[in-house]
Amino acid sequence: MNPLVQHIVSGHAFFTGIALILSAVFLSTRQDKSPKRFAPVTFIVAVLAIVLTSTPIPYWYYAIAAALTIWWLVALRRPNLRRRTNVAMVIVWLGAAAMELPWHFLPHSHGSNASSLTVVGDSVSAGLGDQKEDTWPALLAQQHQVGVQDLSHVGETAGSALKRAQSCELQSKRILLEIGGNDILGTTTTAEFERDLDALLAFLKTPDREVLMFELPLPPLYHEYGRIQRMLAERHLVKLIPKRVFLSIIAEGDSTLDSIHLSQAGHQRMADLVWELIR
C-alpha cells in the first residue's frame, strides 16, 4: 500500500492535518513575508488531510471548528482580531486531537478467555473458498491451541451476520467481530448499517461475554459509518480495535490478493495479530 494512502486511511493524517493547521496559524503571525506566504498552502494541505481521513469526531465539533476557521481566515486581514482568533484556533484544534486520540489506543482484553474464540466476519476471515487456503481462524486454532468457532462467511454484512449468529449456539465467552466492509462497499445505507449493527451487537454482547470489534478503515467522506461504529461500540460496551491495527496487515505488500482479501501470508499475519490481542 502506498505510504501516503496508509497514512490517510489509518487516521494518522488527521493529526498531521491538525499540526499543519497550527503551523499555518504560526506562520500567519510572522512579520517577515517569506514564511508568511506559506501559510495558505499549509492550510489547504491541512484541510485536505483532515477531510480525507473520514475521522468521525462529532459533527457539532466539526461545525464549531469550521466556523472558527472561517473566522480566522477573515481575521487575517484584521490585525485587531488576529490574536484572539489565533488563540481560539489553537484551542479548538488541539481539542479535536484530544477527542480523537483515545480511539487510537488498543483496548484491554481479558487474557483468561484466550482458550476459546468465536469469530464473526466476512471474506477477510472466511477466505475466498480456496481449499488450499488456511484462513487466519484456522491458523489461530492450529498454532495456539485456541478453540475457534468460525462463523465468518463470504459476502457477510452486519444484517446477515446477525441471522447467522442467531441460527447457532455461540460457544465462546469471547467474540471477535470483523464485519462491515461489505456494508460500506455495497448498497447498505448508513441507516440500515446502524440498525443492523445495533441489533448484532445487542445480540452478541451479554454480561458474561466479551466482544471485540475491528474498526473499519474508511474511504474519504465516509465519516458516518465510523461514527455509527464508535457510537454503538460505546452503547454496547464493545471493545473497538483501532482501524490502524487491521490496516497494518493489509498494508503489507504480500498480505492481500486484491488490496482487501488476505493472501496466505496475510492470514498468517492476521492470526499472529489476533493472538497478540486476545492472549
Side-chain angles (χ1 to χ4, degrees), residues 119-140:
V119 178
V120 177
D122 51 30
S123 54
V124 171
S125 300
L128 296 177
D130 186 348
Q131 293 183 352
K132 297 180 180 180
E133 180 181 42
D134 288 324
T135 62
W136 71 259
L139 292 171
L140 183 68

Side-chain angles (χ1 to χ4, degrees), residues 11-239:
H12 293 160
F14 181 76
F15 300 103
T16 301
I18 290 176
L20 289 173
I21 283 182
L22 299 181
S23 298
V25 172
F26 171 75
L27 290 172
S28 71
T29 64
R30 299 294 298 270
Q31 297 300 320
D32 45 332
K33 292 184 178 180
S34 294
K36 196 171 184 176
R37 68 182 57 171
F38 288 104
V41 175
T42 303
F43 176 74
I44 292 171
V45 173
V47 171
L48 283 174
I50 290 172
V51 170
L52 291 176
T53 59
S54 294
T55 301
I57 63 173
Y59 291 130
W60 62 265
Y61 201 92
Y62 268 128
I64 292 173
L68 179 59
T69 302
I70 293 171
W71 182 33
W72 173 74
L73 292 171
V74 172
L76 289 177
R77 299 180 179 274
R78 298 184 181 182
N80 59 318
L81 294 177
R82 193 177 302 163
R83 183 174 181 180
R84 283 178 292 176
T85 54
N86 286 344
V87 172
M89 281 284 284
V90 171
I91 292 173
V92 77
W93 284 109
L94 285 179
M99 190 176 292
E100 173 62 16
L101 187 60
W103 295 103
H104 289 252
F105 292 108
L106 284 172
H108 175 70
S109 183
H110 302 304
S112 59
N113 293 333
S115 60
S116 66
L117 180 71
T118 293
V119 178
V120 177
D122 51 30
S123 54
V124 171
S125 300
L128 296 177
D130 186 348
Q131 293 183 352
K132 297 180 180 180
E133 180 181 42
D134 288 324
T135 62
W136 71 259
L139 292 171
L140 183 68
Q142 295 166 13
Q143 298 171 359
H144 301 288
Q145 291 73 54
V146 176
V148 178
Q149 179 187 23
D150 187 5
L151 301 183
S152 59
H153 194 269
V154 176
E156 202 81 297
T157 63
S160 62
L162 172 62
K163 294 177 182 178
R164 196 175 305 279
Q166 289 174 331
S167 67
C168 61
E169 181 181 354
L170 300 178
Q171 298 173 1
S172 176
K173 296 300 182 182
R174 170 181 283 162
I175 296 177
L176 182 61
L177 195 59
E178 177 275 305
I179 205 75
N182 290 316
D183 292 282
I184 290 178
L185 299 176
T187 59
T188 306
T189 66
T190 54
E192 291 168 340
F193 181 61
E194 180 173 355
R195 177 200 65 201
D196 293 343
L197 186 60
D198 188 25
L200 176 61
L201 296 183
F203 176 76
L204 295 177
K205 183 68 176 75
T206 59
D208 63 338
R209 190 181 292 147
E210 181 185 43
V211 178
L212 298 94
M213 177 168 58
F214 279 106
E215 187 176 20
L216 297 168
L218 299 173
L221 304 179
Y222 276 66
H223 300 68
E224 185 64 8
Y225 289 92
R227 185 197 67 80
I228 290 168
Q229 198 178 28
R230 288 182 178 184
M231 175 191 69
L232 295 178
E234 287 190 317
R235 176 185 298 174
H236 295 286
L237 302 179
V238 168
K239 297 175 180 180

